[in-house]
Amino acid sequence: MPIHSDWIYLGTTFGNIYTVNVKTCKSSNYTIYWSNAAKPLNTKKSAHNDNNTAHPGEVVGIVEPPAEPSRLLIAYSKGLMIIWNLNKKETEKVFQSRTAIKSVYWHTETKETTKRFIVSHIDGSLTEWEHEKKKKGNTPLKSCTPFEGIYLQIST
């Protein structure tokens, strides 16, 4: 939502996203259901789910891409990331990480980096991804593995 908007996106542990007015605490009719967002990626049958879509986990990030107010980058805990088109109410692009996700952040420094986003994972690693509408591909540009530990040795 725009910075001075009275509306926010509220992601839930069930994977749905609601649009809520911060002044009245009432939700609008615009809801992004996880089953619609995950539909392009998941085709596995699930015993708990009749629509053949595997649950992507809880929403861990909802970020508006720079200069693209009609889209959202949505990250789910089990590794699914999507670009959601707010106007068309559909998933435009799907990214899948092998590692569970903790948070997501858009680069905003330069024109080149505004097409990129950083994902932090529960194991402490970071991955950088590129959102290029024309490009296909589902692999990160860069990965940074976590530190195993920091050891301090003091000499006397």
Side-chain angles (χ1 to χ4, degrees), residues 17-151:
I17 298 171
Y18 300 92
T19 309
V20 178
N21 187 296
V22 293
K23 290 184 178 177
T24 64
C25 290
K26 294 189 179 193
S27 62
S28 78
N29 291 333
Y30 195 98
T31 302
I32 303 170
Y33 294 102
W34 69 266
S35 55
N36 293 337
K39 205 177 285 184
L41 174 69
N42 296 306
T43 55
K44 293 189 258 179
K45 282 197 174 203
S46 171
H48 307 291
N49 201 352
D50 291 336
N51 65 2
N52 299 336
T53 305
H55 196 282
E58 64 187 74
V59 176
V60 293
I62 307 168
V63 188
E64 187 178 283
E68 293 189 61
S70 65
R71 290 176 175 77
L72 293 177
L73 170 61
I74 302 169
Y76 294 91
S77 62
K78 293 183 180 177
L80 175 66
M81 299 161 282
I82 65 161
I83 302 293
W84 180 263
N85 186 311
L86 292 163
N87 298 332
K88 294 180 181 178
K89 298 181 179 182
E90 66 183 15
T91 298
E92 282 187 348
K93 189 156 185 180
V94 175
F95 305 89
Q96 182 67 49
S97 172
R98 290 185 207 140
T99 309
I101 296 173
K102 187 73 174 168
S103 65
V104 64
Y105 171 78
W106 275 101
H107 277 293
T108 56
E109 290 81 25
T110 66
K111 285 185 180 182
E112 291 78 35
T113 59
T114 57
K115 297 176 185 151
R116 297 179 182 175
F117 57 95
I118 297 283
V119 176
S120 69
H121 301 277
I122 61 167
D123 66 356
S125 63
L126 300 172
T127 51
E128 181 179 28
W129 299 74
E130 186 170 30
H131 160 52
E132 191 66 48
K133 290 179 209 162
K134 297 173 189 169
K135 279 189 179 179
K136 290 188 178 179
N138 198 6
T139 56
L141 296 171
K142 298 177 190 172
S143 292
C144 173
T145 56
F147 291 103
E148 292 295 321
I150 298 175
Y151 302 98

